[in-house]
Amino acid sequence: MVKSTSLALAVLAGLFATPAFAQDVPALKIYTYDGFAADWGPGPQLKAGFEAICNCTVDFIAADSSIGTLRRVQLEGATTEADLIVGLDTAIAGEARDTGLFAEHNFYFDNLTLPTGWTDKSFVPFDYAHFAFVYDSDKVANPPKSFEELIALPDDFKIVIQDPRSATPGLGLVLWIKAAYGDRAPEIWAGLKPHILTVTREWSESYNLFLEGEADMALSYTTSPAYHIVEEDDDTIKAALFEEGHFAQTEVAGVLKSSKHQELAFQFLDYLTSADAQKIIPTTNWMFPVIDLGYELNPAFGALPQPEKTLTLPDAEIEANTPAWIDEMLKAIQ
């Protein structure tokens, strides 16, 4: 009877202790975009990997785009439940930084493989690729080698692009053309107008139109062909390389000053740039890792042709002029 009573008390103690223990485990809340948090995206594997070492839980809270995550944090301000944002990019990093909502990190990056250096103290990079137009080589034998060659094609050669107000690739195209052509950007946009089949809200909409054969080319990334090679054993989808160079998108993550678990959030950033996390990125987010993975990088990425020239614009110039450049683009194509 004594043993039975002791056992019953031990079981009861365990039952009552479990919820208390669960409450003691911090929950790291991460705002990101829906593709990152999706079952097929990097989110679930990164969650499992970090939870295995952090004595915490990770909750990804998804918006429809990285721009959407920033807008949500701007609305919520210091009351946001998010500890950090994963998935902003360098095109909107300046605007994000100026909100004053992000804490500075103390990481030093001397082993990154980005096409440009990294000194930003508000955000940590975790993947990158160049914007590019993709095409089906079975249907397009001679892809254009510049925007001007694209413009010179017959009007029935169609492209699909994304809205720069809602999709980061769409904004990337605005910056790409501005970096390549400067004051000639309105002229380039006017030349592209007859070729634009439609401007979609998000990348997935336009890419699906391309895959369905509705357009000859879609605005995407130099890394997009890797998906078709790895997942479909299809090497017909290729990225057209333009002679004027390509604008790069680097995706970043940042910790919020209002985070209740700031130390844990910075630990997640450290994990995000580790080899264990970086080897998850390429074949789930279909971007290049920011560190050299050597033989652990899928060979499909090593075989992808890449631009000889990376175009850039200063953050301050992007932040000061983006609304005007978007208006310039919309006016030229409407």
Side-chain angles (χ1 to χ4, degrees), residues 124-181:
V124 170
F126 64 88
D127 67 20
Y128 78 94
H130 292 82
F131 295 110
F133 287 95
V134 298
Y135 66 98
D136 185 335
S137 58
D138 281 346
K139 299 177 180 178
V140 178
N142 297 300
K145 297 181 178 63
S146 68
F147 280 103
E148 291 177 297
E149 280 195 18
L150 172 54
I151 290 169
L153 291 172
D155 287 355
D156 62 358
F157 188 93
K158 297 298 183 183
I159 63 174
V160 280
I161 62 175
Q162 300 92 46
D163 192 324
R165 296 165 295 186
S166 57
T168 49
L171 178 55
L173 179 59
V174 170
L175 301 181
W176 181 7
I177 290 176
K178 181 58 68 171
Y181 291 97

Side-chain angles (χ1 to χ4, degrees), residues 21-28 47-58 261 264 267:
F21 175 76
Q23 290 173 0
D24 291 338
V25 175
L28 192 67
K47 169 183 167 70
F50 190 61
E51 286 182 346
I53 61 175
C54 73
N55 189 32
C56 71
T57 60
V58 174
H261 308 294
L264 188 63
Q267 289 175 16

Side-chain angles (χ1 to χ4, degrees), residues 5 56 61 63 68 74 95 115 129 158 166 187 195 215 234 237 246 250 252 256-257 280 284 289 293 310 317 322:
T5 302
C56 71
I61 301 167
Q74 286 175 305
E95 180 185 352
K158 297 298 183 183
S166 57
E187 172 192 338
H195 298 283
D234 179 3
I237 306 300
H246 291 247
T250 301
V252 302
L256 291 157
K257 290 179 180 177
I280 293 170
T284 55
L293 292 177
T310 295
E317 188 175 344
T322 290

